[in-house]
Amino acid sequence: MLNGFIKSLRTPFSRFREDLFFKRIDLTKVPKHVAIIMDGNGRWAAKRGLPRLAGHRAGAEAIRRTIRAAADVGVKYLTLYAFSVENWKRPRDEVRGLMNLFEETLRKELQELHEKGIKINVIGHLEELSKSTQRCFREAMELTANNKEMILNIALNYGGRVEIADAAREIARAVRDGKMALESIKPETLADYLYTSGSPDPELLIRTSGELRVSNFLLWQIAYTELWVTAALWPDFEKADFYQAIYEFQQRKRRFGGLEAD
Ligand code: IPE
Ligand code: IPE
Ligand code: MG
């Protein structure tokens, strides 16, 4: 009862917030690349006395909304943290449930994402996942390979330190094989060997659920990224929150170690 009442109030209010922040956004200065640590599904479910997987399901809806919101303001790269290399520590049932949910959601959304010109790209060790999960994501990547409207990076079985170690190994191999001079290695060389090579670094990193940590996400790429944390749990994350993050990002002064420009 009460939940329904609160929901009926929330809808017009979130529309109001959505319009408010959308109108304030300078569409000529939208970050090219936004990364999101989608956190709080479990706590969202626990608050309702539901199993954790119900939280993950509600989280899938928030992903839908967020991709739309990002497309509406013209974000070119959206990177979503879906499953970390540390998330294997969770109970087997939760991991299995999550993988099934990823497949189910991707199957359901793929056509629409493709029609919107979104290119799907997995970052992380996809080859360690089940055959069926691999197939599902590989098919999505193939189908959308030539799309240009937006790149949707899905960080799946992803770890920032693993990514840097992978890059270091490839660079060492190139040096060993005489294809690269040791002295030529620069920060840009390492960036070229990361999973995100070719994409700009994210200008904005959003984390939900109020946690103030980066949890092994894009460690190299976020050197100068603006961080924006909301207390909202991921399933409650709305378009209005995304627009608010973009708007507040636009009010910040980025100095990159230099002095403020006039
Ligand atoms: C984020 O929500 C989803 C994944 C990590 C896959 P959590 O499952 O971490 O939710 P909390 O942090 O336990 O609330
Ligand atoms: C980060 O969330 C990973 C994803 C969102 C996929 P976690 O819930 O795993 O992070 P910690 O354990 O709170 O740092
Ligand atoms: Mg969490």
Side-chain angles (χ1 to χ4, degrees):
M1 258 288 269
L2 189 62
N3 254 349
F5 177 65
I6 292 170
K7 229 178 182 173
S8 70
L9 281 181
R10 214 183 66 192
T11 315
F13 181 62
S14 11
R15 289 239 178 80
F16 170 76
R17 275 189 65 224
E18 206 176 298
D19 286 350
L20 185 81
F21 284 113
F22 187 83
K23 283 193 198 124
R24 287 180 177 181
I25 292 173
D26 178 347
L27 290 172
T28 67
K29 291 193 180 108
V30 168
K32 282 196 182 66
H33 187 171
V34 178
I36 309 185
I37 303 176
M38 311 181 288
D39 197 15
N41 295 352
R43 277 162 283 172
W44 184 92
K47 266 172 51 181
R48 288 162 178 75
L50 297 169
R52 291 180 59 84
L53 208 59
H56 295 314
R57 270 194 184 280
E61 275 304 309
I63 295 181
R64 247 178 89 86
R65 291 195 289 274
T66 304
I67 295 173
R68 291 217 187 108
D72 287 348
V73 293
V75 166
K76 283 290 167 197
Y77 299 83
L78 180 67
T79 302
L80 302 178
Y81 204 2
F83 192 87
S84 75
V85 293
E86 285 84 17
N87 288 146
W88 293 107
K89 293 176 192 161
R90 297 185 180 202
R92 277 174 66 138
D93 278 357
E94 179 172 349
V95 172
R96 199 176 302 127
L98 266 170
M99 294 299 161
N100 289 339
L101 182 63
F102 293 148
E103 285 186 42
E104 183 190 316
T105 309
L106 188 58
R107 288 217 170 83
K108 210 161 71 192
E109 302 294 328
L110 185 57
Q111 210 46 48
E112 195 184 323
L113 293 171
H114 184 42
E115 278 159 21
K116 288 204 161 92
I118 296 173
K119 175 175 172 168
I120 295 168
N121 182 41
V122 172
I123 58 171
H125 280 262
L126 185 59
E127 77 287 353
E128 289 168 6
L129 303 182
S130 77
K131 288 273 174 294
S132 124
T133 309
Q134 287 187 42
R135 198 178 322 115
C136 183
F137 280 92
R138 287 195 205 288
E139 280 170 13
M141 284 193 276
E142 264 167 45
L143 177 72
T144 62
N146 297 318
N147 290 348
K148 303 248 170 337
E149 282 304 307
M150 186 204 279
I151 314 278
L152 175 62
N153 289 317
I154 303 173
L156 196 58
N157 195 16
Y158 172 89
R161 287 182 169 178
V162 174
E163 180 183 29
I164 294 170
D166 284 351
R169 192 181 317 104
E170 286 314 308
I171 291 172
R173 199 193 309 279
V175 172
R176 183 196 66 190
D177 296 347
K179 292 178 181 147
M180 190 188 287
L182 194 58
E183 297 71 23
S184 73
I185 300 171
K186 298 184 174 61
E188 300 76 44
T189 320
L190 212 126
D192 279 347
Y193 279 83
L194 296 175
Y195 310 149
T196 51
S197 98
S199 323
D201 289 339
E203 294 98 317
L204 173 63
L205 171 64
I206 297 174
R207 181 165 189 153
T208 59
S209 89
E211 304 293 358
L212 299 173
R213 53 177 173 263
V214 292
S215 302
N216 203 9
F217 193 39
L218 303 176
L219 296 182
W220 176 279
Q221 297 89 334
I222 60 172
Y224 264 104
T225 299
E226 294 296 322
L227 310 179
W228 190 86
V229 176
T230 172
L233 302 173
W234 177 249
D236 291 328
F237 190 79
E238 298 186 344
K239 279 181 143 189
D241 298 305
F242 187 83
Y243 297 150
Q244 182 180 353
I246 303 281
Y247 168 72
E248 290 182 5
F249 164 83
Q250 292 181 337
Q251 310 314 306
R252 299 208 188 156
K253 297 263 183 291
R254 303 184 76 198
R255 285 184 286 274
F256 301 98
L259 299 180
E260 221 167 273
D262 289 327

